[in-house]
């Protein structure tokens, strides 16, 4: 899909070979259309536009960001800064997904309102309002830790190369991953495969 939008929409619009503001407009158009591709609803268009806005704001703020990092003597390779960028990207992406999953824009606004009221009601109280129980919250945290651990191994221990070079270990990992998917693929009360977010597409 990304390649199709790039070749048949982004490039014909001018891509990046135009003025800066036209380039940013091209980005917004592509993201808006990608949102519309996912569904004929304002929530999907808003989701696409928000992701496009992230890209445009990142481009606009880049000079100020570089100046601030220079003043603070922080390089792009600083591990703490990398972790910070990962956390910011994760939070912004999760906020955008609210629009993708909400039934309407008004529902999305209610969810955003509840999210940003977390300091007043407490994290657990806000999550409970969305039907997230304490055991589910613990499972979510364990999954996040597992993802962080996997990412660390991939970047620091060259795990992919080791798996490719060790046949038994590779198939052991395949077996474990398949078992985990079978055990936890359908999780939670009232699970319905028809509710899978991409089923309608």
């Amino acid at each position: 899909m990304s390649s199709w939008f790039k070749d048949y929409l982004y490039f014909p619009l001018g891509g990046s070979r135009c003025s800066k503001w036209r380039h940013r407009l091209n980005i917004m158009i592509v993201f808006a259309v990608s949102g519309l591709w996912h569904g004929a609803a304002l929530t999907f268009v808003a989701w696409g536009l928000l992701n496009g806005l992230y890209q445009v704001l990142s481009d606009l703020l880049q000079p100020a960001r570089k100046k601030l990092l220079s003043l603070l003597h922080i390089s792009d390779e600083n591990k703490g800064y990398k972790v910070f960028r990962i956390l910011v990207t994760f939070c912004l992406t999760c906020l955008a997904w609210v629009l993708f999953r909400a039934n309407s824009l008004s529902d999305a606004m209610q969810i955003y309102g509840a999210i940003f009221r977390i300091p007043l009601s407490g994290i657990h109280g806000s999550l409970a309002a969305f039907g997230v129980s304490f055991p589910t919250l613990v499972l979510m945290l364990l999954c996040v830790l597992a993802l962080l651990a996997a990412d660390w191994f991939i970047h620091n221990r060259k795990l992919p190369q080791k798996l490719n070079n060790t046949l038994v270990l590779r198939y052991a990992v395949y077996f474990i991953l398949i078992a985990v998917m079978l055990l936890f693929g359908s999780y939670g009360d009232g699970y319905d495969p028809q509710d899978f977010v991409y089923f309608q597409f």
Side-chain angles (χ1 to χ4, degrees):
M1 184 189 75
S2 299
S3 298
W4 190 93
F5 279 120
K6 178 184 69 176
D7 294 336
Y8 295 100
L9 185 58
Y10 181 67
F11 286 159
L13 285 171
S16 60
R17 296 182 177 181
C18 50
S19 67
K20 287 185 177 181
W21 286 106
R22 177 55 196 242
H23 176 219
R24 291 161 186 159
L25 177 62
N26 293 343
I27 291 173
M28 293 298 292
I29 292 172
V30 171
F31 273 94
V33 175
S34 71
L36 191 61
W37 178 89
H38 284 85
L42 288 176
T43 50
F44 293 111
V45 176
W47 170 76
L49 287 171
L50 182 56
N51 280 286
L53 184 62
Y54 288 160
Q55 301 296 320
V56 171
L57 287 177
S58 177
D59 182 51
L60 286 171
L61 296 174
Q62 186 175 10
R65 186 167 61 247
K66 286 184 175 180
K67 190 172 184 180
L68 179 61
L69 290 175
S70 178
L71 290 173
L72 297 174
H73 304 290
I74 299 174
S75 70
D76 286 337
E77 299 303 316
N78 182 280
K79 289 186 178 180
Y81 180 55
K82 283 184 176 181
V83 171
F84 172 75
R85 286 188 296 174
I86 290 170
L87 290 174
V88 169
T89 302
F90 178 77
C91 291
L92 292 175
T93 303
C94 288
L95 288 174
W97 280 120
V98 170
L99 288 165
F100 192 93
R101 202 67 179 93
N103 294 321
S104 65
L105 287 177
S106 60
D107 284 353
M109 293 304 106
Q110 289 182 1
I111 294 171
Y112 284 134
I115 289 172
F116 291 108
R117 283 198 301 270
I118 283 178
L120 300 178
S121 59
I123 293 177
H124 185 260
S126 296
L127 291 173
F130 293 119
V132 179
S133 62
F134 183 74
T136 304
L137 178 60
V138 171
L139 180 62
M140 290 166 58
L141 291 174
L142 290 175
C143 289
V144 170
L145 290 175
L147 288 171
L148 290 174
D151 190 63
W152 184 83
F153 273 111
I154 289 171
H155 287 91
N156 296 281
R157 299 294 181 183
K158 297 182 179 179
L159 185 61
Q161 292 89 332
K162 291 183 179 180
L163 290 178
N164 285 329
N165 296 332
T166 310
L167 187 65
V168 175
L169 181 59
R170 188 196 327 169
Y171 280 95
V173 171
Y174 291 163
F175 175 79
I176 291 170
L177 291 174
I178 291 171
V180 169
M181 285 188 288
L182 290 174
L183 288 171
F184 298 105
S186 300
Y187 180 79
D189 296 331
Y191 173 80
D192 183 357
Q194 299 289 335
D195 288 336
F196 176 58
V197 70
Y198 267 106
F199 186 84
Q200 62 182 309
F201 309 125

